[in-house]
Amino acid sequence: MAQTAPTTPAKPPAAGRSRERRLELGRDLPDRAYGAVVAGCVAAVGAFLALRLTAWPPHEDETLALYIGRGSLGDLADTVLGERGGAPLHYVFAWLVAHVGGGLGGLRLVSAAFALASIPLAAELVRRLTDRLTAALATALLSTSWVLLFHAVYARMYSIFLFTSLLSYLALLAALRDGGLRRWALWAAAILLCVATHPYGALVLASQGLFVLLARERLREAVPAGLAVVALGTPFWITDLVLAGRFGVGVGGGGARLGGPFAVASYLGDVAADFSSGPVVLPVVLALAAGGGVVLWRQRRRSALIALAAFGTPTLAFLAARLGSSAAPETRHLIFTLPFFTMLVATALVAVARSGREGADRAAALTAALLLVGGVAWAWQKTPLLFEGEPAAAREARDAAADWLLAGGRPDDVLMGYEPVFLEAWERDASFSRLVLPRADSRLAAKTLEQAARPLGRAVWVFDAADTTNYEQALAIVRRLPRPAAAFEARAFGPYLVIRTREPVRTPERYVELAASTMVTGKTLTIGDADINFATVNRIAERLGYEASSSRSRSTSSR
């Protein structure tokens, strides 16, 4: 009996293969694949941070935290809670780092650790609100965002703020799901950590309260828990008021609003640009975020409500607030909304991929890849030193400037601003002067100057030609003496010009006179900080009862 040759199964038509792909996309990502994506994001960001942790040059805000941390814990509490205001948790970490000898590198490790820990928390938050595929894509987008990468290196409170806000949102979702005293106590602890990290923690708390009201879930349990947090957070509300008083922030009364709805919209656009791939592709990203919001509203109303509360609360706050001239918000202040933003974008892309239209899955994948690359590209363009590193000449010049200050330094020298050069000196010699006038806060500067022991010592200022606040950056600066030249000595070290009075200034009035003259010299060198410092010096004079115009006229006539 003849045998028939086996037949090769016919390949399914192209339309059938496309339908199979769509069916696969319609299913959620397996647990193992989801975990691999999240772990890969943590590993990739961790590798980047390991290579670039010290690439970014030291900043005065980092110096400030370590300066405050060098004192006792009681001194730290008095300074942060009583004088400076703001949330204290970051300064507690700075105190721990300073007292174990960690320095700037140690404090940056704290930022890096909290940034890395935030990645799986963000993934879990988005997973609970959507699904594993959306969460995996949102986590990848978050991991390439400038806001995350830069603030994982920048030794301030923003990566801690992201972590604690995520913790509080997750704790809230768990409390709303399960209820009970234990769950609400865990939420209270998490949100108190958040408000202890940054004044905008109050906006996180308000957004969560708004969400609970909109969702109308467990109100009988949520209201008492919220009132308990408000009561327990009283020390933080007081410190926030101290900070607001320093910078003229409030509701109603004097001061100017952020600029009205258009200015608020412009600011929020800047936030979205820094969250994603910069201003060039911002219209596309905003369209995706809006589309994601619509999808959530139709399919996962509860998730849309929490995103709406997270974005709506700061928007309403900015529309109502009156801000002083030095209190304009920056994109990093809304870092707690970053996971929700990437969730909206990822939701739109996943919805497109699952739409069933021919080629939609490929278009969504290509768009996602471009956004991931674009996030890194924008981070590089916005802060190139984070990727390229500080020039070795600048680091060597900073070391040399610190050596010169230490060689002739005295414990009663009067320093202006928390300059990185001063940080180098403090880390080498604990006896280096700790009398610092904050350059951006005339009220605190005047108080510090007035309470300083008399007679005052010599005055010291540092100009940095490589600072990013300058219109143009340079690695060399001209050595130039203020007038009268006989009253000063100066040395130039690469981009740093260190100016010091030859004799003690003795009185606040004499300090103001010579400081104003020095800032005029800084202006002639096109140093951006000189403008701020000059205004601060004149406000110090006014607060101490001197004629601001006299110091101005003296400094101007000495050109």
Side-chain angles (χ1 to χ4, degrees):
M1 185 175 180
Q3 293 183 343
T4 59
T7 59
T8 303
K11 293 183 179 180
R17 292 197 300 271
S18 177
R19 184 172 179 273
E20 289 177 3
R21 267 200 312 271
R22 290 196 296 271
L23 288 175
E24 290 175 2
L25 283 170
R27 293 195 294 268
D28 200 4
L29 201 65
D31 277 332
R32 181 172 296 181
Y34 165 73
V37 171
V38 175
C41 290
V42 173
V45 175
F48 173 81
L49 297 180
L51 294 172
R52 311 316 299 159
L53 194 66
T54 59
W56 179 258
H59 189 274
E60 64 177 322
D61 288 337
E62 298 174 308
T63 301
L64 165 63
L66 288 168
Y67 170 83
I68 293 176
R70 288 174 62 86
S72 68
L73 200 56
D75 291 339
L76 182 147
D78 290 341
T79 301
V80 176
L81 303 181
E83 291 184 354
R84 304 195 63 86
L89 186 59
H90 169 65
Y91 292 103
V92 172
F93 281 111
W95 180 84
L96 290 170
V97 168
H99 282 77
V100 299
L104 180 58
L107 194 56
R108 286 187 172 182
L109 278 175
V110 172
S111 289
F114 277 100
L116 290 174
S118 296
I119 294 174
L121 287 188
E124 179 62 17
L125 176 65
V126 179
R127 186 195 65 79
R128 292 189 186 185
L129 296 174
T130 57
D131 55 38
R132 289 188 294 273
L133 179 59
T134 305
L137 179 55
T139 303
L141 292 171
L142 176 142
S143 299
T144 59
S145 168
W146 171 82
V147 171
L148 178 83
L149 294 176
F150 176 70
H151 293 93
V153 169
Y154 192 26
R156 294 195 70 194
M157 71 285 292
Y158 293 99
S159 65
I160 308 175
F161 185 33
L162 176 61
F163 176 85
T164 55
S165 65
L166 282 165
L167 203 63
S168 68
Y169 281 114
L170 286 167
L172 177 65
L173 293 178
L176 292 174
R177 181 192 62 205
D178 300 330
L181 180 61
R182 178 174 175 272
R183 287 293 187 184
W184 285 108
L186 289 173
W187 168 76
I191 193 63
L192 285 172
L193 283 174
C194 184
V195 299
T197 303
H198 196 281
Y200 278 37
L203 294 180
V204 177
L205 174 61
S207 74
Q208 294 176 1
L210 179 59
F211 166 62
V212 171
L213 291 175
L214 292 174
R216 300 188 64 79
E217 297 180 12
R218 295 189 183 271
L219 290 177
R220 292 184 178 180
E221 296 180 358
V223 170
L227 292 175
V229 167
V230 171
L232 292 171
T234 299
F236 305 125
W237 315 139
I238 293 173
T239 60
D240 290 346
L241 289 174
V242 172
L243 182 66
R246 287 176 56 213
F247 293 104
V249 178
V251 178
R257 283 192 170 90
L258 187 59
F262 291 108
V264 172
S266 176
Y267 164 68
L268 294 177
D270 292 339
V271 172
D274 281 348
F275 280 2
S276 54
S277 304
V280 174
V281 297
L282 181 60
V284 175
V285 173
L286 290 179
L288 287 171
V294 171
V295 171
L296 286 180
W297 186 261
R298 291 175 177 174
Q299 299 178 0
R300 302 175 186 269
R301 183 66 56 89
R302 186 170 180 267
S303 300
L305 287 176
I306 193 171
L308 177 64
F311 292 114
T313 302
T315 301
L316 294 174
F318 290 136
L319 288 171
R322 293 187 179 275
L323 306 174
S325 59
S326 59
E330 299 187 39
T331 57
R332 61 174 174 255
H333 292 134
L334 295 188
I335 194 171
F336 67 92
T337 65
L338 174 61
F340 297 102
F341 186 81
T342 60
M343 177 183 74
L344 294 179
V345 175
T347 296
L349 290 171
V350 171
V352 169
R354 289 172 171 169
S355 66
R357 296 177 181 176
E358 186 65 31
D361 51 351
R362 290 189 293 273
L366 178 61
T367 303
L370 291 175
L371 289 179
L372 292 172
V373 174
V376 177
W378 174 241
W380 197 322
Q381 181 178 345
K382 190 173 177 71
T383 51
L385 291 178
L386 180 62
F387 292 81
E388 299 166 7
E390 183 185 21
R395 294 194 300 269
E396 293 167 1
R398 190 164 55 249
D399 291 342
D403 287 340
W404 183 75
L405 282 175
L406 286 172
R410 301 173 189 173
D412 61 353
D413 287 344
V414 184
L415 317 178
M416 188 169 197
Y418 297 92
E419 298 288 347
V421 170
F422 299 153
L423 175 63
E424 293 284 344
W426 284 321
E427 291 189 342
R428 298 181 194 183
D429 188 346
S431 66
F432 184 66
S433 174
R434 292 178 50 80
L435 178 55
V436 184
L437 306 184
R439 66 180 189 85
D441 185 344
S442 60
R443 181 183 303 178
L444 186 55
K447 179 181 177 182
T448 303
L449 192 61
E450 192 173 30
Q451 294 179 348
R454 301 288 193 278
L456 296 173
R458 297 170 303 170
V460 182
W461 303 272
V462 175
F463 293 139
D464 181 4
D467 193 273
T468 54
T469 61
N470 302 333
Y471 182 73
E472 292 183 354
Q473 290 82 48
L475 288 177
I477 192 169
V478 177
R479 179 181 175 275
R480 186 170 298 173
L481 287 171
R483 299 291 181 86
F488 299 92
E489 58 181 339
R491 296 290 187 277
F493 304 92
Y496 297 102
L497 176 62
V498 184
I499 300 175
R500 183 168 59 194
T501 59
R502 294 185 181 276
E503 301 294 335
V505 295
R506 297 188 175 276
T507 66
E509 186 174 14
R510 178 61 172 166
Y511 175 85
V512 166
E513 179 183 349
L514 297 178
S517 177
T518 302
M519 292 310 119
V520 169
T521 300
K523 289 184 176 186
T524 66
L525 295 169
T526 66
I527 301 298
D529 287 345
D531 290 324
I532 298 175
N533 295 351
F534 184 76
T536 299
V537 167
N538 279 281
R539 292 193 192 103
I540 292 173
E542 293 171 358
R543 292 184 181 279
L544 295 181
Y546 308 135
E547 288 293 333
S549 59
S550 66
S551 64
R552 189 181 296 110
S553 63
R554 288 190 193 106
S555 63
T556 304
S557 63
S558 64
R559 296 187 190 186

